[in-house]
Amino acid sequence: QTSLDVGELTRLELYYDWGNDPPVVTIDEHPNKRSEARKQYAYQYPVFHDPLTKTYTIKMLVYSGATCMGEVTQTVELKAVPQIALSTVSRVCEYKHPFMLNAQKTSAVLGAGVFSGRGVTSAGKFNPALAGPGEHAITYTFTATNGCTVQQTQTVTVTPTPMVDAGNDQTLLYGEHYQ
């Protein structure tokens, strides 16, 4: 946010990582006029998993005319995004006993996760009979102690229990055969 008592802004420079990488900058040669709605500028910082936090200094320079300039700096702290990996479960038979689903946290970020989806119990077990035959999306949601959340979903296919029929019961005498 910037303002002038008299005149208009002629240039705005916004540095997103002033202390480490000054070339990451937005330059606006035509900032908005007083009568216009405020402009907003956005920048997507790179996602990181380690260290737990990174600090950036943002610097904004504004100009009115060719030589008048004002500046302000602000420090922001970004939090690491948790990184997880699910144990692969692609196909399972409908009659298989319920089993624990597994996920690993592969970054230093602390927190807790929970599985959800059809056939998933509150204890994190997958029950194929409860899910039923077909494809089911199983989602793992990890919420870090720093407030960041990450989700990963995989599809599990439950194959139906085959039906077997050997025909009607037969009585055979010793030495006879039946096909």
Side-chain angles (χ1 to χ4, degrees):
Q1 180 175 322
T2 187
S3 63
L4 290 170
D5 289 334
V6 178
E8 298 286 349
L9 296 175
T10 57
R11 178 182 171 98
L12 178 136
E13 297 175 11
L14 192 53
Y15 296 87
Y16 299 100
D17 189 6
W18 178 252
N20 297 316
D21 196 4
V24 180
V25 62
T26 294
I27 297 176
D28 187 349
E29 298 286 354
H30 305 286
N32 60 320
K33 305 291 183 198
R34 288 177 193 276
S35 59
E36 299 172 342
R38 290 183 182 163
K39 280 189 177 178
Q40 293 187 3
Y41 303 89
Y43 176 73
Q44 178 67 48
Y45 286 91
V47 172
F48 65 96
H49 308 292
D50 197 30
L52 295 177
T53 62
K54 286 188 178 182
T55 303
Y56 294 92
T57 301
I58 300 169
K59 185 172 189 173
M60 183 171 69
L61 304 171
V62 292
Y63 298 85
S64 64
T67 57
C68 295
M69 186 227 2
E71 70 178 69
V72 65
T73 59
Q74 182 175 352
T75 302
V76 295
E77 182 178 84
L78 301 182
K79 299 174 183 178
V81 175
Q83 190 174 27
I84 56 173
L86 298 180
S87 296
T88 303
V89 179
S90 55
R91 288 190 174 276
V92 62
C93 296
E94 181 181 19
Y95 60 81
K96 184 172 172 136
H97 292 292
F99 58 92
M100 288 300 294
L101 296 166
N102 294 307
Q104 275 188 296
K105 176 180 64 78
T106 59
S107 62
V109 181
L110 299 177
V114 62
F115 283 96
S116 61
R118 185 178 173 109
V120 178
T121 68
S122 60
K125 285 187 172 185
F126 182 69
N127 185 335
L130 185 60
E135 291 187 349
H136 305 284
I138 306 298
T139 300
Y140 182 69
T141 304
F142 183 86
T143 303
T145 54
N146 67 12
C148 295
T149 299
V150 66
Q151 282 188 337
Q152 196 169 11
T153 300
Q154 71 174 340
T155 300
V156 176
T157 302
V158 176
T159 56
T161 302
M163 300 304 292
V164 179
D165 184 358
N168 296 330
D169 289 346
Q170 299 291 323
T171 302
L172 301 175
L173 299 176
Y174 182 75
E176 290 185 321
H177 69 279
Y178 177 80
Q179 186 170 354

